[in-house]
């Protein structure tokens, strides 16, 4: 599924670059001189977030999830990668907060929140690229056993076969 991987990597590249570009755009917020400047930065950052970065994020995660189904990729490093992807998703949602509160924060120095977002995005993206490219042999023993048990989810839907740990307590 080379084409799917191509779509995944295009989405990922635009998503990560966009998350960092947004920070650069919002740093310009500290140098606004007038209302017109402020409106320009606000429009540019909202357009970048809604029109480019969010769709790219959806495409990256959607194509990545499809790749999980078509390939044999459920290795321990993939779970570490998904944890780093969760950091990117939290950073993405934090931008929504920053953009909605832009007017209230005023023309100050770039806020601490934006600095933390940039550091988190950079660290998570580097970790993901290391994990997918080096595919390190992490110890799968740290994962719960049911994660690698074929047919576990199907069996857990059947109350007769469900493991007792998953059964809901009956009301008396
Ligand atoms: C929910 C999110 C994601 C899922 C489910 C996912 C899943 C996958 C899967 C299954 C593959 C194929 C692995 C293989 O063929 O061995 C892959 C490849 C790749 N992913 Fe993701 N991914 C996600 C997000 C990301 C993100 C955010 C990045 C980068 C920041 C990324 C970077 C890559 C790269 C560079 C490859 C190509 C690796 C290679 O072919 O050697 N992925 N991804």
């Amino acid at each position: 599924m080379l084409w799917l991987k191509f779509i995944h990597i295009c989405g990922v590249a635009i998503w990560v670059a966009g998350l960092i570009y947004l920070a650069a755009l919002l740093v310009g917020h500290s140098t606004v001189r007038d209302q017109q400047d402020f409106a320009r930065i606000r429009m540019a950052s909202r357009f970048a977030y809604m029109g480019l970065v969010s769709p790219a994020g959806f495409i990256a995660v959607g194509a990545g999830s499809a790749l999980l189904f078509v390939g044999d990729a459920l290795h321990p490093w993939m779970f570490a990668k998904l944890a780093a992807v969760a950091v990117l998703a939290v950073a993405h949602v934090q931008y929504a907060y920053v953009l909605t509160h832009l007017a209230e924060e005023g023309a100050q120095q770039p806020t601490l929140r934006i600095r933390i977002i940039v550091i988190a995005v950079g660290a998570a993206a580097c970790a993901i690229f290391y994990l997918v490219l080096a595919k390190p042999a992490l110890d799968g023993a740290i994962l719960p056993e049911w994660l690698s048990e074929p047919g576990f989810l199907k069996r857990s839907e059947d109350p007769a076969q469900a493991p007792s740990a998953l059964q809901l307590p009956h009301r008396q």
Side-chain angles (χ1 to χ4, degrees):
M1 284 281 177
L2 205 56
W3 63 269
L4 196 55
K5 208 179 263 192
F6 174 73
I7 292 175
H8 180 56
I9 291 174
C10 289
V12 154
I14 298 172
W15 189 27
V16 174
L19 288 175
I20 292 169
Y21 168 71
L22 267 173
L25 204 57
L26 291 167
V27 165
H29 182 235
S30 64
T31 58
V32 291
R33 284 182 301 272
D34 49 33
Q35 202 59 32
Q36 210 180 349
D37 249 8
F38 179 70
R40 189 177 48 78
I41 288 182
R42 204 159 66 152
M43 261 178 59
S45 47
R46 287 195 177 183
F47 170 75
Y49 187 73
M50 300 299 292
L52 205 67
V53 184
S54 297
F58 276 113
I59 290 171
V61 172
S65 310
L67 278 169
L68 272 185
F69 283 101
V70 298
D72 167 33
L74 280 179
H75 307 289
W77 62 263
M78 179 56 80
F79 292 99
K81 172 186 167 170
L82 293 179
V85 172
V87 173
L88 290 185
V90 170
H92 189 107
V93 173
Q94 286 296 312
Y95 273 122
Y97 176 88
V98 171
L99 290 174
T100 38
H101 291 84
L102 203 55
E104 294 157 29
E105 288 184 15
Q108 302 153 353
Q109 285 297 312
T111 56
L112 181 64
R113 188 184 293 267
I114 296 176
R115 287 164 200 241
I116 294 173
I117 292 175
V118 173
I119 292 169
V121 168
C126 289
I128 293 172
F129 285 122
Y130 167 73
L131 288 165
V132 287
L133 298 177
K135 299 184 176 40
L138 302 180
D139 188 3
I142 55 169
L143 299 173
E145 218 169 272
W146 56 266
L147 265 178
S148 55
E149 199 182 314
F152 176 85
L153 283 178
K154 199 160 191 208
R155 275 204 313 283
S156 65
E157 282 166 10
D158 179 358
Q161 292 187 45
S164 53
L166 277 187
Q167 279 176 352
L168 296 172
H170 292 290
R171 282 169 188 254
Q172 297 295 324

